[in-house]
Amino acid sequence: MSGTHGPVGHFQNTISSTSNCNLMRYAPIAARFAAVVVFVLVAAGCRSDGADSSGIKPISVAEEVLPTMMVYKSPTCGCCSKWVDHLRAAGMDVKTTDSDDMGSIKERFGVPGKLSSCHTAVVGGYIVEGHVPFEDIQRLLTERPDAVGLAVPAMPVGSPGMEVEGRPADKYNVLLFDANGNQRVYASH
């Protein structure tokens, strides 16, 4: 007599003694009613601009809250500050620390010398070296590859923070690098 003891067993016995015809007769009506209620609630809360009735727009994947980035830079480097402005304009929360010894910071975070640039950043467990565009950082944080981070070696003209009026942008690669020194092209600009 397992399954018939206690409140659960009593409920099962009650269900089995009730006519299945009576229960099934009302199921389609209940399903249609529930669908109409859901439609009305959704339609009432939607606006043409995507915001709900309170005026709050839903957050898309691209608008998800990004982790805070810590940027280490020279206090006299203007292009580093422009790169930080680029990230903030894209919605990233950025903190900065000025240092007169960037070499020790790069060594501490494992940035290979051949990938070195003027500033080093840490975000979401990754290192970002140099003038890496926001969209590549966002992709890195979304895809979460097994790597140390991204780098744009040197300081290519036209990369974020390195725009020069009247001068065409250089072509450059964003490199993904790992702890063993392996690297590959992650994006080309």
Side-chain angles (χ1 to χ4, degrees):
M1 286 257 271
S2 67
T4 59
H5 300 289
V8 173
H10 175 72
F11 180 71
Q12 288 173 339
N13 290 338
T14 303
I15 293 289
S16 63
S17 66
T18 305
S19 167
N20 284 338
C21 290
N22 287 337
L23 291 175
M24 295 308 293
R25 182 173 25 165
Y26 297 109
I29 295 168
R32 277 186 252 149
F33 177 75
V36 169
V37 168
V38 168
F39 174 79
V40 168
L41 291 174
V42 169
C46 292
R47 297 182 353 180
S48 62
D49 65 355
D52 66 14
S53 58
S54 68
I56 299 172
K57 285 187 174 184
I59 295 174
S60 71
V61 173
E63 296 170 320
E64 286 183 27
V65 176
L66 297 167
T68 298
M69 177 183 276
M70 176 56 71
V71 177
Y72 299 89
K73 65 180 193 63
S74 166
T76 59
C77 186
C79 67
C80 296
S81 296
K82 288 180 181 178
W83 181 70
V84 168
D85 292 343
H86 160 76
L87 298 174
R88 286 180 175 150
M92 193 153 219
D93 181 30
V94 182
K95 309 283 186 225
T96 61
T97 298
D98 290 340
S99 174
D100 291 321
D101 186 11
M102 289 302 299
S104 66
I105 290 172
K106 292 172 191 317
E107 185 178 321
R108 180 173 82 190
F109 290 118
V111 176
K114 62 186 176 185
L115 299 182
S116 185
S117 186
C118 56
H119 53 263
T120 303
V122 180
V123 63
Y126 291 101
I127 305 303
V128 178
E129 179 69 12
H131 295 268
V132 177
F134 169 76
E135 61 268 13
D136 297 330
I137 297 167
Q138 186 177 33
R139 178 179 158 209
L140 174 78
L141 295 172
T142 300
E143 292 178 354
R144 310 276 323 152
D146 184 19
V148 172
L150 296 177
V152 172
M155 298 164 65
V157 172
S159 60
M162 287 297 299
E163 299 88 353
V164 177
E165 190 175 329
R167 186 160 167 204
D170 295 337
K171 292 183 185 291
Y172 65 95
N173 291 324
V174 176
L175 303 174
L176 181 76
F177 65 99
D178 67 17
N180 298 321
N182 299 314
Q183 58 187 342
R184 69 173 175 84
V185 175
Y186 192 70
S188 295
H189 299 275

